[in-house]
Amino acid sequence: TRSDLTSEDLRRMRLGLGTALLLDHGYFGFDRGDGWHGYGEQWWFPEYDANLGLSSRNYEKAGDGTYRRRYNNGLVIVNPGQSNRIIDLDGKYRDATTNETVNRITVPSKDARILTQA
């Protein structure tokens, strides 16, 4: 991960990746424009290493306005709304962003979380 990315850059990256993971056959990459890449430079984020496995169903819109998709080994939650959402999970998960094990998570406004089973 680049140390010069802002928290806003990382939020945008998670929102884009999470949204791509809601759908089938998506591709995702993040950068800040062609001036940020040197020869052979690749950007990598901890969320890319999350072993979600195969999707087990299509995404669903929850009553709190978030979008969620279950995978064999995890869960993706996208919050496109204007307010943070606190979500009680159905078990223990590892947050790919923080590497913390959680059973409740706050997904900030216009952000996403990628969770693997703990």
Side-chain angles (χ1 to χ4, degrees), residues 6-69:
T6 67
S7 60
E8 177 67 9
D9 292 329
L10 296 173
R11 181 202 59 78
R12 289 175 45 237
M13 182 281 299
R14 288 188 303 269
L15 181 62
L17 177 59
T19 302
L21 288 168
L22 291 178
L23 304 172
D24 289 332
H25 311 296
Y27 293 90
F28 177 80
F30 181 81
D31 64 33
R32 291 177 59 195
D34 60 4
W36 281 75
H37 288 284
Y39 177 76
E41 181 179 347
Q42 295 180 341
W43 292 13
W44 198 262
F45 302 94
E47 292 83 356
Y48 291 176
D49 290 322
N51 180 10
L52 293 168
L54 298 174
S55 60
S56 58
R57 58 180 79 148
N58 292 331
Y59 75 87
E60 300 171 342
K61 184 173 183 180
D64 61 6
T66 62
Y67 291 85
R68 304 172 191 192
R69 188 171 193 186

Side-chain angles (χ1 to χ4, degrees), residues 36-107:
W36 281 75
H37 288 284
Y39 177 76
E41 181 179 347
Q42 295 180 341
W43 292 13
W44 198 262
F45 302 94
E47 292 83 356
Y48 291 176
D49 290 322
N51 180 10
L52 293 168
L54 298 174
S55 60
S56 58
R57 58 180 79 148
N58 292 331
Y59 75 87
E60 300 171 342
K61 184 173 183 180
D64 61 6
T66 62
Y67 291 85
R68 304 172 191 192
R69 188 171 193 186
R70 292 201 174 273
Y71 285 78
N72 290 340
N73 300 331
L75 175 66
V76 173
I77 304 172
V78 175
N79 179 11
Q82 299 296 324
S83 302
N84 296 349
R85 298 289 182 226
I86 298 171
I87 298 166
D88 290 317
L89 302 168
D90 60 353
K92 291 193 181 278
Y93 289 86
R94 185 184 63 79
D95 182 344
T97 298
T98 65
N99 204 32
E100 295 176 339
T101 299
V102 297
N103 59 8
R104 172 185 251 202
I105 193 161
T106 299
V107 182

